[in-house]
Amino acid sequence: MLARPFTAALACRQCQSAILRAAAVRPVSSGLRNLPQRPARQLRILTHRFFSQEKAPEASEKKETDSATISAPDENVAPTESEPAKSDDVPWFLEVEPPTHPPSQHTVELPKIPEDAPAILEPMMKYMFEDMGLDDISLLDLRDLDPPAALGPNLFMFFGTTRSERHLHVSSGRFVRWLKRNYKISARADGLIGPGELRTKLRRLRKKAKLMGTNTAIIPGGDNGISTGWVCVNFSSDEGNLGEVESFDESGRFSGFGASLTGSTIVIQCMTEARRSELDLEALWQGVLKRNLQNNKKAKDGKLMDQQELAEAMASRVQLPTTPSELQWQAMKAASQQKRFYSTTARRLSSLPSERTDTQTELPESRDSQAEDVVIPDFGQVRKLVTDIQLLGLPFAQDMLKTLVRDILQAKTHLADTAEERLSLIDQLLKTAEERGLTIWNEEMYVSMTEGAFASPAYGPELREALKNLDYLVAQKGWQFSLDHIMRLMQAYASRHDWTRFWDAFRMPSRFKVARQPRHYELAYWTLAQTGNQKLCIDALRWVYPEMMHQDPPVNPVGGVYVALRACLAIADPAAEHLMKNGIPKPRFKKDFRFDRRMQNREFLKVLREVETVRQQVLIYGDR
């Protein structure tokens, strides 16, 4: 009978496992041979699938393993094939060599620390590059500014580019804490949004959106106080002497209070790439430094620096990024200073025929034949010029702006459906002009855009829709166009046979109670005569000629008006001039009074006789 401690030990799982393992290795003659044996795990077979170097286990060695060897293995015995070394038990997916990266082709050179600079600049620049992860670090030594800048005396200014808005605030916050922890410097970070402040702003935006009944309160393109794109960290290397103290003059008299100018002011401008290119603070401070150096030289020696001397002085104080991409960008800026042979001459108006004494009607030359000397640029050239103005900052004035707008619309290209691209270029150009303080919306700009749109090879639904929007804006403004602008609009509308807008432009002076000039009637008559459309000439003569004769003061049919009117009458009634010269032919029947009355009352024959009569009176008695 089994003892009580033994039976209690059988209740333990570990004891049961030990007994079963001992029974499994006992000889067959043992009394426990009838106990069921657990099948051996096939771990070696499974591991054969996952290990690249694994030998098949031998069954005979498994069965004939000595129990003593299992219970007390010898530590000095080397591992057999059935027990491979631990170094071989490496999965195949881990048997890879560590990746080797080729050396970087672009080595970043950080700015060199100027002489007599604070000792903190070197570790600070290393921290900015390695820990903060700023790119394109530049250094401006502004210690020679006199008077010193408002930021502080002995100014050192660093510039760095961050990868994103989040990177900007996180790296700036860590930099401020790094200064406080390692150097006991309390730096000021303007524009920094901490995590707590960001959560507060987002909560307020969500609350505002809920009150307004919209799903978001963020306007596309706006920052809403969340994105700044610019953090300015500034501190002084000698904070103990920044307090205001009493100051005395040379005679010992009290002169006021002020802060001592000891120590150096260090400013780190952290910006995103878009904000850095937009503000271009490096160019701003370089201009300030150049002017200051010139003024100091003039005050000291009475003369200014030459270009070479100024360039050497600037090179020792300004250290810009030296990466290959930045060097290429600076080379493009230098190349953009070359003289560009780009014509900014506006398209000239077609000259109207002068006064003629003969009665022979001749049509004027077309605008295309008169403007042969005007070269229309290629669309690719105009697009490149607009890009250079935006990226390289090429200067352009108000006159060049309107010419560029017209050339963008009229430029030649072999591509199809370029209307949207042309409108996009105009939008970008007008935005750039507005940022530079130019006037982008006036009567001249509207006329230039209208002329370019109607003469554009891409004229279609997109440009017609754009012109409709422009007309709506003009109606809201209530502009009073000059007589020259009206003539240009009439010519543009006539080029596309848009007669509704043509006559609207013709009626513009009367809306403001301004009398039309003779050249307006001359242009209207010549335009109608060039069409050769009899119906169009008849409809126009029935109301244009009476208005011309009854306006105050009236316009007499002399000079160019007379020639253009005769040409238009010749299209409306080709037989009128012949009947006036040779008389009315006799009817075929002697008593055909209707024919004679109809010939005598021909509408435009009467107009032609009246025109000749008025002209003769004006030539004899002068203009009334």
Side-chain angles (χ1 to χ4, degrees), residues 243-512:
E244 291 191 357
V245 296
E246 299 176 355
S247 58
F248 300 89
D249 57 10
E250 296 179 355
S251 61
R253 300 176 58 183
F254 173 75
S255 60
F257 296 92
S260 59
L261 299 181
T262 59
S264 300
T265 304
I266 302 172
V267 178
I268 299 92
Q269 307 281 7
C270 304
M271 291 175 282
T272 58
E273 184 176 1
R275 183 57 62 90
R276 184 173 181 178
S277 60
E278 175 187 358
L279 299 178
D280 197 10
L281 293 181
E282 291 97 329
L284 174 65
W285 283 103
Q286 287 182 59
V288 173
L289 183 59
K290 283 182 180 179
R291 291 191 297 270
N292 196 271
L293 291 176
Q294 291 282 28
N295 294 336
N296 293 343
K297 181 68 173 179
K298 184 177 181 181
K300 183 178 180 180
D301 301 336
K303 61 179 181 179
L304 299 177
M305 297 182 180
D306 56 6
Q307 294 295 331
Q308 183 177 1
E309 186 179 0
L310 180 61
E312 293 176 357
M314 291 294 297
S316 62
R317 294 168 175 84
V318 177
Q319 301 184 48
L320 298 178
T322 57
T323 58
S325 58
E326 188 65 25
L327 293 176
Q328 184 179 7
W329 178 252
Q330 294 176 9
M332 291 176 61
K333 284 185 177 181
S336 65
Q337 303 300 325
Q338 62 182 342
K339 184 177 180 181
R340 295 182 178 271
F341 297 92
Y342 183 81
S343 175
T344 58
T345 305
R347 181 182 290 274
R348 295 177 295 177
L349 297 175
S350 59
S351 58
L352 297 173
S354 59
E355 179 179 355
R356 303 176 184 176
T357 56
D358 58 337
T359 58
Q360 183 180 1
T361 60
E362 296 181 4
L363 297 181
E365 297 180 357
S366 62
R367 295 183 63 194
D368 297 335
S369 61
Q370 293 182 356
E372 291 180 354
D373 57 335
V374 179
V375 179
I376 300 178
D378 184 71
F379 184 63
Q381 298 176 355
V382 179
R383 179 171 50 193
K384 184 179 183 303
L385 180 61
V386 175
T387 305
D388 291 346
I389 289 175
Q390 289 181 295
L391 299 181
L392 304 181
L394 296 183
F396 69 106
Q398 191 74 39
D399 294 338
M400 187 177 180
L401 173 62
K402 65 180 182 181
T403 307
L404 270 177
V405 169
R406 188 165 55 245
D407 287 345
I408 290 173
L409 293 169
Q410 296 181 359
K412 300 178 296 184
T413 180
H414 63 280
L415 301 176
D417 300 332
T418 59
E420 293 185 1
E421 186 177 1
R422 294 172 190 264
L423 293 176
S424 177
L425 276 179
I426 292 177
D427 182 62
Q428 298 174 19
L429 181 64
L430 293 180
K431 184 178 179 180
T432 304
E434 185 179 16
E435 292 174 350
R436 298 190 183 184
L438 301 180
T439 303
I440 65 171
W441 188 233
N442 51 19
E443 295 89 341
E444 179 64 30
M445 182 59 65
Y446 169 76
V447 175
S448 300
M449 294 183 68
T450 303
E451 286 179 333
F454 277 95
S456 175
Y459 184 78
E462 294 85 358
L463 291 182
R464 284 196 292 269
E465 187 66 24
L467 290 173
K468 187 183 299 183
N469 296 336
L470 291 179
D471 293 340
Y472 176 78
L473 294 177
V474 169
Q476 296 294 325
K477 290 284 186 179
W479 285 337
Q480 181 177 354
F481 291 91
S482 65
L483 299 179
D484 292 335
H485 288 160
I486 293 175
M487 290 190 64
R488 291 168 58 186
L489 289 174
M490 291 172 62
Q491 289 178 336
Y493 296 146
S495 63
R496 292 287 177 178
H497 302 285
D498 193 344
W499 302 115
T500 302
R501 292 183 175 178
F502 178 84
W503 293 119
D504 287 342
F506 181 77
R507 295 186 182 97
M508 281 183 182
S510 59
R511 297 175 187 171
F512 300 96

Side-chain angles (χ1 to χ4, degrees), residues 187-238:
R188 178 180 177 182
D190 298 325
L192 177 62
I193 299 178
E197 185 180 0
L198 180 61
R199 286 193 295 267
T200 303
K201 288 180 178 292
L202 292 175
R203 183 172 66 251
R204 290 174 179 173
L205 277 178
R206 288 193 295 267
K207 184 178 180 180
K208 181 179 179 181
K210 185 176 181 181
L211 293 176
M212 296 177 62
T214 57
N215 58 348
T216 180
I218 299 178
I219 303 174
D223 55 7
N224 292 278
I226 296 179
S227 59
T228 59
W230 179 18
V231 175
C232 177
V233 182
N234 58 87
F235 61 93
S236 176
S237 62
D238 190 8

Side-chain angles (χ1 to χ4, degrees), residues 29 38 64 123 134 182 271 311 318 370 417 419 475:
S29 60
R38 297 176 61 185
E64 298 176 357
L134 298 184
N182 296 325
M271 291 175 282
V318 177
Q370 293 182 356
D417 300 332

Side-chain angles (χ1 to χ4, degrees), residues 150-163:
L151 292 171
N154 301 326
L155 180 61
F156 292 92
M157 187 171 293
F158 292 84
F159 293 89
T161 304
T162 58
R163 294 184 295 272

